């Protein structure tokens, strides 16, 4: 089994992105919260979403961790690495039975961390959140604590809400990439009344998340939160030339490496919204670097 590095929240800091807004006259400050520095594999938002799930695992005397993900899932590799970190076994249910351990580096690394992968037919995988499917799985893996895809449960959202501790109240806007939306929900419910949050969906049609998440954001004024799917650049996991050149330029300007799937599309989106005059003068934007560097090696 591979040894793992410690999870270090002390590495988190806010990086001021000087000159990110080209129009200096309106005095919009743009900064980045570096959650990507927590850990090379359990990076960004993933540790926050796993934290209380792992605590529940131990509280309920389970012996292993079971979760779900696509073949390139940052969540699955974070689960595999976290389980290795705690010295417990893990099982990953992977979407699509056309895949194998050798299909890509993410799946290979999951296996290196000791995760047992099960490649599930898409039709079955789609049932993963239904009670009969979960009951059957729990019966098969009695000693395993089952975490939904993306860590999207109350424990995941509770952990994500702790990200607010790293966001000073002086910021007016919180900007982040969304997948399952659990990080978004956690932060949105914990933010201050004068703050707004925008989620950038890297998949086509991701706007549907607004409906799905609204029942979890009942205490919020709808004016303060939204999801945009304008910046998917061809769809989830698709590599787009504009995104790649933006990502390279961002790295040379600020010395910060973004990931291709989520954060580079979000930052290009933020850049576009700034050009369009979406944000008022004198606002302070905090973009969250949610990690995901494992996706850059594919
Ligand atoms: C997983 C992931 C997200 C999406 O997080 P959700 O809580 O599922 O919305 C965003 N950015 C990166 C880099 C990720 O790996």
């Amino acid at each position: 089994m591979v040894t793992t590095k410690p999870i270090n929240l002390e590495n988190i800091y806010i990086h001021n992105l000087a000159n990110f807004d080209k129009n200096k006259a309106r005095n919009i400050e743009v900064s980045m919260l570096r959650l990507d520095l927590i850990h090379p594999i359990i990076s960004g938002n993933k540790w926050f979403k796993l934290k209380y799930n792992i605590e529940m695992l131990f509280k309920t005397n389970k012996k292993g961790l079971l979760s779900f993900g696509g073949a390139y899932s940052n969540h699955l590799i974070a689960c595999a690495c976290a389980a290795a970190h705690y010295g417990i076994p893990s099982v990953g249910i992977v979407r699509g039975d056309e895949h194998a351990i050798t299909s890509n580096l993410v799946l290979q690394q999951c296996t290196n961390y000791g995760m047992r992968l099960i490649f599930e037919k898409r039709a079955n995988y789609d049932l993963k959140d239904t009670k009969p499917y979960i009951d059957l799985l729990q019966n098969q893996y009695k000693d395993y604590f089952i975490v939904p895809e993306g860590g999207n449960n109350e424990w995941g959202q509770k952990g994500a809400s702790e990200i607010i501790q790293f966001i000073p109240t002086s910021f007016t806007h919180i900007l982040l990439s969304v997948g399952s939306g659990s990080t978004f929900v956690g932060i949105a419910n914990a933010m201050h009344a004068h703050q707004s949050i925008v989620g950038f969906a890297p998949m086509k049609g991701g706007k549907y998340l607004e409906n799905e998440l609204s029942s979890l954001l009942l205490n919020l004024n709808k004016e303060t939160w939204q999801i945009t799917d304008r910046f998917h650049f061809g769809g989830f996991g698709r590599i787009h030339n504009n995104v790649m050149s933006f990502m390279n330029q961002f790295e040379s300007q600020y010395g910060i490496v973004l990931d291709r799937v989520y954060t580079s599309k979000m930052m290009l989106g933020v850049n576009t919204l700034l050009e369009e005059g979406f944000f008022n003068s004198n606002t302070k934007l905090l973009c969250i670097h949610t990690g995901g560097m494992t996706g850059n090696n594919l």
Side-chain angles (χ1 to χ4, degrees), residues 43-46 49 73-75 149-152 160 176-185 200 202 209 259 261-263 288-294:
S43 76
N45 52 358
K46 298 300 184 277
K49 295 196 288 180
S73 170
N74 291 336
H75 165 72
E149 184 184 66
N152 191 12
L176 79 162
S177 188
V178 294
S180 67
S182 27
T183 307
F184 182 92
V185 166
F200 293 76
L209 274 171
D259 85 296
V261 180
Y262 294 97
T263 51
I288 304 185
H289 194 324
T290 40
M293 314 322 297
T294 47

Side-chain angles (χ1 to χ4, degrees), residues 48-50 52-53 56 145 151 153-160:
F48 289 93
K49 295 196 288 180
L50 281 175
Y52 290 108
N53 275 296
M56 282 309 290
F145 187 81
N153 59 9
E154 61 172 310
W155 311 116
Q157 289 157 15
K158 180 182 173 190

Side-chain angles (χ1 to χ4, degrees), residues 164-231:
I164 204 73
Q165 295 166 9
F166 302 94
I167 305 179
T169 55
S170 57
F171 285 98
T172 55
H173 293 77
I174 301 165
L175 312 170
L176 79 162
S177 188
V178 294
S180 67
S182 27
T183 307
F184 182 92
V185 166
I187 297 174
N189 280 322
M191 71 185 184
H192 295 268
H194 69 277
Q195 294 176 318
S196 304
I197 187 164
V198 183
F200 293 76
M203 59 280 194
K204 277 185 189 162
K207 190 86 179 165
Y208 83 94
L209 274 171
E210 268 192 8
N211 281 330
E212 205 173 283
L213 304 182
S214 58
S215 63
L216 299 166
L217 300 167
L218 293 177
N219 295 328
L220 288 185
N221 179 343
K222 181 62 189 76
E223 241 99 276
T224 63
W225 69 274
Q226 67 169 288
I227 306 275
T228 173
D229 60 7
R230 282 178 56 203
F231 307 106

Side-chain angles (χ1 to χ4, degrees), residues 243-255:
V243 177
M244 294 310 283
S245 56
F246 174 83
M247 186 174 149
N248 292 333
Q249 190 251 317
F250 187 89
E251 183 180 348
S252 59
Q253 192 172 355
Y254 299 110

